[in-house]
Amino acid sequence: MEEYLILAVDDQDFNLIFLKKTLAEYQFLSARNGRQALELLRKYSPDLILLDIVMPEMDGYEVLRQLKYDERTRNIPVIFLTSLDSIEDEEKGFNLGAVDYITKPFKPTIIQARVKNTLRFIHQQKLLERMSHLDGLTEIPNRRFFEEKLAAEFGFAATNKRPLSLIMIDVDFFKKFNDQHGHSKGDEALVKVAQIIRSCLNEPHEFLARYGGEEFVVILPDTDAAAGSEIAEKIRYHVSISQLFNNPAGSHAALTVSVGGYSMIPANYEYCHSILEKADACLYQAKKHGRNCVKWDYS
Ligand SMILES: [Mg+2]
C-alpha cells in the first residue's frame, strides 16, 4: 500500500482535529481557509482533499471551482464534508466535480470507509492510465498518448492561430550499439537519452514521448522556429556531451542523436500528421548530413 497524503480544509479547528484523528493512517495536511489551501497546493499534491463548504471569505464551492480551473489540481479528488444537507447543496457539489459528499453528523467509520473507497478507486484509475499511456521502458508517454496530444495541440494552434513546433529525435547508430553492447545496454541507453531530453524541457507544457524504437518526439505548443530549434540544439548538445555511453573498448564514441524539427501555424483544414511528416523529412536531412546535428524548417 502506498502512502497517501490528505489535505483537509475547514475553518473549525475541532473539525480538523477530529479528521486528523479519524484518518491517522494517512499523511495529513490541514488548512483553515480556501486561500491557505490553494497556497499549500503550490507545494504539495495531495491524493485527496476533504473540503468544508461553509467558510468565511471563500466557500468550499469556490475553492473547488478554482481547483478545477488549474491544470495541476484539476484531477485531485475532492470530498465535501459539510453541515449543508439539502439535496440542492449536494447536487451543486457533485456538479462542480466533487467525488463524494458527506453530511453531518460525521461518523468516523463512515468517513474512513468512504475515504478508503475513493483512494482505492483513484489508485486503480492511475494504474490503468499508466498502463495505457506510458512507455514501459522509459516511463515517458507512449505513441498512443502522443497521437492524442498532437491532435489536441494541433487543433488548439489552428483555432487560435498560434505557432506549433515538433521535434523528432533519433539515436545515431543505435542498431550498431545494440549489436556491440547487447540489448540490455541498449535499453539502458534509451532510458538515459529519455532522461536527458526531459531535462532540456519545460514539462508538462513541452511534451516528450517515445515514438518507437530509438525515436523520440517532442511537441512544443506556442513555440516558433527560433525557440524550437534552440531547444532541439540543446537536446542534441546535452546528449553528445553526456559521455554516458562511451565504448568500453576504448573508442570513446559517445552516443549522439540526429534531430529534425518543423514549425508552423496550422490551418484548420490540415491533417495533424502533416507537421510530423515535415519534421521527419528534416530528421532524414540531419541523418544524411552526417548525424549529430539539427535540421529545422518552417512554413
Ligand atoms: Mg465551516
Side-chain angles (χ1 to χ4, degrees), residues 193-210:
V193 169
Q195 284 167 352
I196 294 169
I197 300 172
R198 276 186 106 157
S199 71
C200 298
L201 299 175
N202 205 343
E203 289 179 307
H205 177 66
E206 299 170 348
F207 179 89
L208 167 68
R210 186 173 178 200

Side-chain angles (χ1 to χ4, degrees), residues 2 46 53 97 115 124 129 140 155 178 199 208 243 252 277 293:
E2 52 182 287
I53 294 179
V115 161
Q124 283 166 352
E129 231 169 72
I140 61 173
N178 259 339
S199 71
L208 167 68
Q243 302 269 321
H252 297 292
E277 285 158 13
C293 64

Side-chain angles (χ1 to χ4, degrees), residues 9-12 15 52-56 81-83 104:
V9 190
D10 201 304
D11 59 328
Q12 311 269 347
N15 278 338
D52 181 24
I53 294 179
V54 182
M55 296 186 287
L81 284 175
T82 179
S83 54
K104 278 183 180 167

Side-chain angles (χ1 to χ4, degrees), residues 103-135:
T103 52
K104 278 183 180 167
F106 299 144
K107 292 201 181 68
T109 49
I110 299 298
I111 290 178
Q112 283 160 359
R114 286 165 89 158
V115 161
K116 186 165 272 173
N117 277 348
T118 301
L119 287 173
R120 187 179 297 141
F121 175 73
I122 297 301
H123 178 71
Q124 283 166 352
Q125 204 181 32
K126 275 187 186 161
L127 267 182
L128 276 176
E129 231 169 72
R130 284 176 65 94
M131 286 194 290
S132 63
H133 272 118
L134 293 189
D135 170 54

Side-chain angles (χ1 to χ4, degrees), residues 71-119:
E71 190 67 43
R72 294 163 307 164
T73 52
R74 176 179 297 167
N75 294 320
I76 303 174
V78 171
I79 297 179
F80 277 123
L81 284 175
T82 179
S83 54
L84 298 180
D85 56 1
S86 79
I87 297 288
E88 290 77 22
D89 282 307
E90 194 168 338
E91 270 179 14
K92 189 173 172 188
F94 280 118
N95 283 337
L96 284 171
V99 295
D100 203 354
Y101 192 99
I102 304 176
T103 52
K104 278 183 180 167
F106 299 144
K107 292 201 181 68
T109 49
I110 299 298
I111 290 178
Q112 283 160 359
R114 286 165 89 158
V115 161
K116 186 165 272 173
N117 277 348
T118 301
L119 287 173

